[in-house]
Amino acid sequence: MVHPSRSKWRQAYAAIVEKIRNGELAAGDRVPTVHELMQEFSMSNTVAQKVHRALREAGLVETEPGTGSYVLPGAREKLQAADGDDGGEG
C-alpha cells in the first residue's frame, strides 16, 4: 500500500496507525523500531525518528529509552473516536 505521492514518513506513520486502528498492534505492543522503519520504508534515521515523534505527539505511543516504543492504552479507541468525528449525517 505504497503511495508514491506521499512522503515516506507519512506512509510509515499511516501504516502504524492502521495497525493500531485494526487491532494488529494493541495496547502495550511494541511498534517497529527506528531501525526497522529505516529498513522497511528505505528511509533515513532522521525520518524514522520523525515517525516515532509524530506517534508520540498524537498520543498513540510512549517511548521507553533503551527498550522501544509501545502502544498506549486507549490508542485504538482514540483513533476510532477520531474516525467517528468525520461526520456521516447531514
Side-chain angles (χ1 to χ4, degrees), residues 16-64:
I16 294 171
V17 165
E18 184 56 31
K19 287 181 179 184
I20 294 170
R21 182 180 285 118
N22 70 25
E24 191 175 332
L25 286 173
D29 286 352
R30 191 170 140 287
V31 300
T33 65
V34 167
H35 185 71
E36 289 167 345
L37 290 174
M38 289 169 58
Q39 290 184 320
E40 183 176 346
F41 292 92
S42 301
M43 59 177 52
S44 70
N45 182 291
T46 303
V47 175
Q49 287 180 14
K50 182 176 181 176
V51 174
H52 276 251
R53 185 169 50 251
L55 290 165
R56 284 192 304 271
E57 289 173 357
L60 302 176
V61 305
E62 67 179 349
T63 300
E64 296 291 330

Side-chain angles (χ1 to χ4, degrees), residues 80-90:
Q80 290 172 336
D83 289 346
D85 289 345
D86 290 343
E89 293 183 35

Side-chain angles (χ1 to χ4, degrees), residues 62-80:
E62 67 179 349
T63 300
E64 296 291 330
T67 64
S69 295
Y70 300 88
V71 178
L72 285 168
R76 184 177 185 194
E77 292 77 8
K78 179 182 273 194
L79 290 171
Q80 290 172 336

